[in-house]
Amino acid sequence: MELQTPSKPLPVRRRTSLCSRARRQIKRISNESKSGTVLEGGTACCLLDEERKATGMFARAPSPSEYKTMFYGEKGQTASSKKPRASFSGFSHAVTDLRAFPRRMASQRRESLALEAPDRYQEHAHDVHEIHPRRRLVTKSPMPTDEPCHRSLPQTTGWVRRCMSTTFKNRRQGPDKLSRPATSNWTGHDPSHVRDLLPAATQPLSPESRLGGAAARAAAAEQNQMLEYWRNIRMKERHVRGDSESGVGIDTRSAEVDSTVKRRDPARELPKELFMHILSYLDAHSLINAELVSHQWHHVASDSLMWKHMFLHDFRPLSNTIPENSTEFPVGGQGLGNGEVAQEWRRMWKTRKALHQRWIGGHAAAIYLEGHYDSVYCVQFDENKILTGSRDRTIRVWDARTYHCVKILGVPSRNTPISPPALPTTSGRRPFAKQLSSQYRCESHTVIKPAIYHVGSILCLQYDDDLMITGSSDFTCIMWDIKANWEPIRRVRYHNAGVLDVCFDQKHVISCSKDTTVCLWDRQSGELIHRLSGHRGPVNAVQLRGNLAVSASGDGVSKLWNLLSGSCIKEFPSKDRGMACVEFSPDSLTIFAGGNDQVIYQFDASTGELLRELRGHSGLVRSLHLDSANGRIVSGSYDTSVRAYDVRTGDAVVEFIGWTASWILSAKLDYRRIIATSQDSRVVVMDFGYNLAGMELLEQTRQPSLGPLIDDTGLLRLSN
């Protein structure tokens, strides 16, 4: 096997030199070795038998007493006072042969240990090598097992350890220098394993060449240096297992520090605006870690503007491409705070993050609003109030924070309420808390009996800051003035059957009915503009976006209408049976529709292509609502379940089954809750922010300014 020679000389660790007695002994050895006989390869073999008889060593390493006797002689006398030691008479160059001694010592120790503990080293018997003394050829031979066992090795004494720590200075680096093998199998820090790391050429030439005294000290020093060398090399390459060909794991960094490179703190050297712009590219976790670097980093990384940028980056409404003339009426809140200049943006980010985790885990509380006398057909809410319409012919206004009924509009169909069914035993995800708000009777000043009111079930409603419009089974729609204490403005009748849905913007109002028609009329005057015909069944839902409208009918088809011409542009059929609900995205690009086939269809409004089918319900899909700001769509079904889906992926976000005792008739959601109405006369609020610290910071009292955070120069703006 061809050995690799290290490109640099092995590191030499200088230790304490020999004592004066040892130096005199070495000098005497060097003078006497000139007359000895030396074999080729530098191995002293003459007088070997005499040496073995003198030392008494055959197949084991010398004991500490033998070391001492070999060096000092009997009874503490030095070797110089007696006959010269035969063990040194065969050396012509003592220092050269001492460098070869580690290889002999390794073999002696291994054979000695193998003889004393054959069971422990039986599995390594094939590793015992017999080496030719001249050519140094390595041949494997089985370990003899019939040799008698000798006594165990003595414990190393302090005197021997001091001898082993001694080395020679200024010795030559000859061709016998140990070379680093290509691969190694280092398994720990135990020096006894190093013999497995040495290549075959570094194994001892003759197991019988055992020396003592100064030679042992020199050999121990050489061995210790090689142990340390291989230990350091292996510790650097422990993660590379037998990969000596590739460059994986090679550390190319220099151990020396380049003093010419100047390292400066950007918080000190750069302007605050530029440093904040750099930190704005970090995520929230990295920004928190940046606060721990130094006081100046903490001052910049914890700045309110930095966390405002982080908050809006993570929780800005996804519908940032909505046209300015969009007619979408936001339901609920946006969770962006009160719009003030100075807000606790870091606490707001922390609260929204915790709220997001509750959405992912389906961790919500159930608040039940009881007060209606019959089925609740429709609902709409914001952060201050909740409006519901019922079959009992009334509209109730609830406080969104206390969940108390504050107003009743209309005349109930009966004077005594019916007892609602018992609260269901939920299956699947259960609410972590339940709250019941029962108010069948309100104070006298909260009951409003207007001059105009509905005499049929309230089937649909919609409101904005100024106006509320309701549709009823009495074939009419009523417009209410919210700012004038909910006074009715007018009643309009353009349908010959119950009004199932209504929608409006700043100019127009659109309504649909069981009479299979869709009517477009003016918001200000209430005059009819267009009557859209084409459906062959009841039109159950309608949505308005500018000059476009989409409708869903029991005939199984959704239609896209051009309101300027009153014509149908495109049709979106279902695969089976009728449509019961529809949603139109704010950018007018996507249409969602659901119905009797228990599937929610997602269509491309431009091409009519079916993009996706959202499945999971086992009953008729009765209601849909799209929260474009947070990228979720919620559905309510006759299977008593409420499901929310991710609009971008189509994956189910949460699923609540059996939280009501009957059919889900309507469901809407915002950033923190889902509110659903049921046939059991209850309204259930599925609140993900229930008792969550910091929720008051997210409540919106006025629209916050979400202008661009980057100015024309591309830097982060410092103004809040």
Side-chain angles (χ1 to χ4, degrees):
M1 180 178 65
E2 184 179 355
L3 299 179
Q4 298 180 1
T5 303
S7 58
K8 296 182 180 180
L10 296 177
V12 177
R13 184 171 58 188
R14 298 183 181 273
R15 295 189 179 93
T16 307
S17 63
L18 296 174
C19 60
S20 60
R21 180 184 300 168
R23 287 196 296 269
R24 289 196 302 270
Q25 180 76 354
I26 294 171
K27 185 177 180 180
R28 182 186 60 78
I29 294 170
S30 179
N31 294 331
E32 293 180 356
S33 62
K34 296 180 180 180
S35 60
T37 303
V38 182
L39 297 177
E40 183 179 355
T43 305
C45 295
C46 71
L47 303 180
L48 185 59
D49 296 335
E50 296 181 7
E51 178 190 0
R52 295 192 332 191
K53 294 178 181 179
T55 58
M57 295 183 297
F58 291 92
R60 61 179 179 85
S63 65
S65 60
E66 291 169 344
Y67 271 122
K68 190 173 182 180
T69 302
M70 292 164 57
F71 187 81
Y72 293 101
E74 298 293 337
K75 298 182 180 180
Q77 297 180 0
T78 60
S80 60
S81 63
K82 287 192 173 185
K83 183 179 178 179
R85 299 294 300 170
S87 59
F88 298 113
S89 61
F91 289 106
S92 61
H93 299 285
V95 177
T96 303
D97 285 279
L98 288 178
R99 284 200 301 270
F101 187 76
R103 299 177 298 211
R104 296 192 291 274
M105 286 297 297
S107 177
Q108 293 174 219
R109 178 172 178 80
R110 181 175 59 194
E111 291 183 4
S112 178
L113 292 176
L115 291 174
E116 298 180 32
D119 296 336
R120 176 181 176 185
Y121 292 91
Q122 186 66 29
E123 59 181 349
H124 300 290
H126 61 279
D127 292 334
V128 179
H129 297 77
E130 181 181 354
I131 304 191
H132 195 280
R134 291 181 177 270
R135 300 182 181 179
R136 301 186 182 183
L137 297 178
V138 181
T139 58
K140 295 185 178 181
S141 61
M143 177 183 293
T145 58
D146 56 349
E147 294 290 338
C149 295
H150 296 266
R151 63 182 179 87
S152 58
L153 289 177
Q155 297 293 331
T156 304
T157 63
W159 184 87
V160 176
R161 286 197 297 270
R162 286 193 296 273
C163 290
M164 294 174 65
S165 64
T166 309
T167 184
F168 292 102
K169 297 182 179 179
N170 303 324
R171 62 179 181 269
R172 292 183 302 150
Q173 298 293 337
D176 293 333
K177 179 177 62 175
L178 297 180
S179 59
R180 174 183 174 183
T183 59
S184 59
N185 295 319
W186 179 260
T187 58
H189 299 284
D190 188 2
S192 63
H193 295 282
V194 178
R195 61 177 178 271
D196 298 331
L197 301 176
L198 300 179
T202 63
Q203 300 295 335
L205 297 177
S206 174
E208 298 179 330
S209 298
R210 298 175 175 85
L211 303 179
R217 292 195 297 272
E222 186 76 20
Q223 192 81 351
N224 289 339
Q225 291 185 12
M226 289 307 304
L227 285 173
E228 186 67 22
Y229 173 78
W230 283 102
R231 182 183 294 112
N232 294 337
I233 291 299
R234 190 56 187 168
M235 289 300 295
K236 292 181 179 179
E237 300 180 354
R238 292 187 67 174
H239 60 284
V240 181
R241 296 291 182 181
D243 187 5
S244 59
E245 300 295 334
S246 68
V248 177
I250 298 178
D251 189 0
T252 59
R253 297 173 296 179
S254 175
E256 299 180 357
V257 179
D258 190 358
S259 59
T260 61
V261 178
K262 294 183 178 180
R263 293 170 174 81
R264 298 181 178 180
D265 187 354
R268 295 176 179 269
E269 301 294 334
L270 298 179
K272 181 180 179 181
E273 296 85 350
L274 183 57
F275 187 51
M276 292 179 66
H277 179 71
I278 294 174
L279 294 183
S280 66
Y281 288 94
L282 300 178
D283 57 9
H285 180 71
S286 301
L287 189 61
I288 293 174
N289 291 336
E291 296 179 359
L292 306 177
V293 175
S294 65
H295 288 289
Q296 287 188 328
W297 281 63
H298 181 273
H299 177 71
V300 177
S302 60
D303 189 89
S304 178
L305 179 60
M306 290 299 306
W307 283 100
K308 176 181 179 181
H309 175 268
M310 184 62 62
F311 179 87
L312 297 180
H313 176 271
D314 293 345
F315 304 111
R316 178 190 287 269
L318 298 178
S319 54
N320 51 4
T321 59
I322 300 177
E324 295 182 357
N325 59 352
S326 173
T327 57
E328 182 193 26
F329 284 90
V331 173
Q334 295 185 2
L336 301 176
N338 54 22
E340 295 180 358
V341 175
Q343 296 192 84
E344 299 182 51
W345 293 102
R346 179 168 179 167
R347 286 189 60 198
M348 292 170 59
W349 180 91
K350 184 178 180 180
T351 303
R352 280 297 296 266
K353 192 68 176 179
L355 185 65
H356 178 69
Q357 294 299 324
R358 286 192 176 186
W359 272 95
I360 294 177
H363 197 59
I367 298 98
Y368 293 94
L369 310 182
E370 295 183 345
H372 283 290
Y373 298 167
D374 211 330
S375 303
V376 184
Y377 285 117
C378 51
V379 64
Q380 187 178 340
F381 68 97
D382 55 38
E383 288 188 334
N384 299 315
K385 57 184 178 297
I386 302 172
L387 270 65
T388 56
S390 171
R391 189 179 179 185
D392 63 6
R393 304 178 184 179
T394 63
I395 301 106
R396 285 185 178 245
V397 182
W398 310 78
D399 189 298
R401 294 180 175 85
T402 64
Y403 300 113
H404 293 165
C405 180
V406 295
K407 285 189 184 299
I408 299 178
L409 306 178
V411 178
S413 58
R414 58 172 61 93
N415 294 327
T416 58
I418 60 174
S419 298
L423 289 176
T425 302
T426 58
S427 60
R429 298 185 186 273
R430 299 185 179 184
F432 70 87
K434 287 186 179 182
Q435 179 179 336
L436 185 62
S437 177
S438 300
Q439 284 194 351
Y440 290 99
R441 296 183 180 180
C442 297
E443 300 294 335
S444 58
H445 65 276
T446 63
V447 180
I448 300 176
K449 185 178 180 179
I452 303 174
Y453 57 89
H454 287 293
V455 294
S457 302
I458 311 297
L459 302 178
C460 56
L461 64 84
Q462 183 174 337
Y463 70 89
D464 60 10
D465 294 338
D466 303 320
L467 180 67
M468 179 180 69
I469 300 179
T470 57
S472 174
S473 60
D474 60 7
F475 308 168
T476 65
C477 293
I478 296 179
M479 305 175 69
W480 307 78
D481 190 345
I482 295 178
K483 293 183 177 180
N485 196 22
W486 306 91
E487 289 292 331
I489 301 174
R490 68 173 63 89
R491 183 200 300 267
V492 295
R493 178 173 176 174
Y494 297 117
H495 294 285
N496 298 322
V499 181
L500 301 180
D501 200 6
V502 65
C503 186
F504 64 91
D505 58 14
Q506 299 299 324
K507 294 182 178 180
H508 303 111
V509 180
I510 190 169
S511 59
C512 60
S513 172
K514 287 184 179 180
D515 61 5
T516 72
T517 63
V518 178
C519 293
L520 178 68
W521 36 289
D522 187 78
R523 169 174 173 162
Q524 300 299 326
S525 63
E527 296 180 356
L528 181 64
I529 300 176
H530 285 297
R531 185 183 297 272
L532 309 177
S533 301
H535 283 293
R536 298 186 299 274
V539 183
N540 296 313
V542 67
Q543 289 283 294
L544 176 65
R545 296 289 181 267
N547 294 324
L548 297 175
V550 62
S551 58
S553 173
D555 59 8
V557 178
S558 294
K559 291 180 178 288
L560 182 65
W561 305 88
N562 185 337
L563 299 182
L564 297 178
S565 61
S567 59
C568 177
I569 301 175
K570 202 176 294 316
E571 294 185 352
F572 308 92
S574 66
K575 294 183 178 180
D576 185 23
R577 294 183 287 182
M579 296 287 195
C581 51
V582 71
E583 272 291 301
F584 204 6
S585 66
D587 55 8
S588 304
L589 297 178
T590 308
I591 296 174
F592 297 88
N596 280 323
D597 53 5
Q598 307 170 6
V599 178
I600 302 171
Y601 298 100
Q602 181 178 350
F603 297 100
D604 188 310
S606 302
T607 64
E609 178 185 1
L610 177 61
L611 302 178
R612 187 181 292 122
E613 294 182 3
L614 308 180
R615 297 182 177 272
H617 286 292
S618 59
L620 180 144
V621 181
R622 179 65 175 81
S623 174
L624 283 176
H625 178 251
L626 175 63
D627 179 16
S628 57
N630 297 287
R632 291 187 283 259
I633 185 170
V634 66
S635 60
S637 172
Y638 280 2
D639 61 5
T640 72
S641 70
V642 174
R643 293 174 179 265
Y645 300 88
D646 191 312
V647 175
R648 294 160 292 185
T649 63
D651 298 332
V653 179
V654 292
E655 175 188 10
F656 301 116
I657 302 176
W659 285 34
T660 61
S662 187
W663 297 344
I664 301 294
L665 301 179
S666 180
K668 292 192 169 48
L669 82 163
D670 66 351
Y671 73 98
R672 66 168 289 180
R673 56 194 158 195
I674 301 173
I675 300 182
T677 64
S678 173
Q679 194 182 26
D680 63 3
S681 74
R682 291 191 183 96
V683 179
V684 57
V685 180
M686 305 168 185
D687 191 1
F688 295 89
Y690 185 80
N691 286 344
L692 183 61
M695 285 303 301
E696 67 280 357
L697 300 175
L698 304 179
E699 295 179 355
Q700 178 181 338
T701 56
R702 64 185 180 90
Q703 181 69 22
S705 176
L706 301 179
L709 294 173
I710 307 299
D711 58 16
D712 297 336
T713 63
L715 299 179
L716 189 68
R717 293 175 55 184
L718 291 180
S719 60
N720 286 336

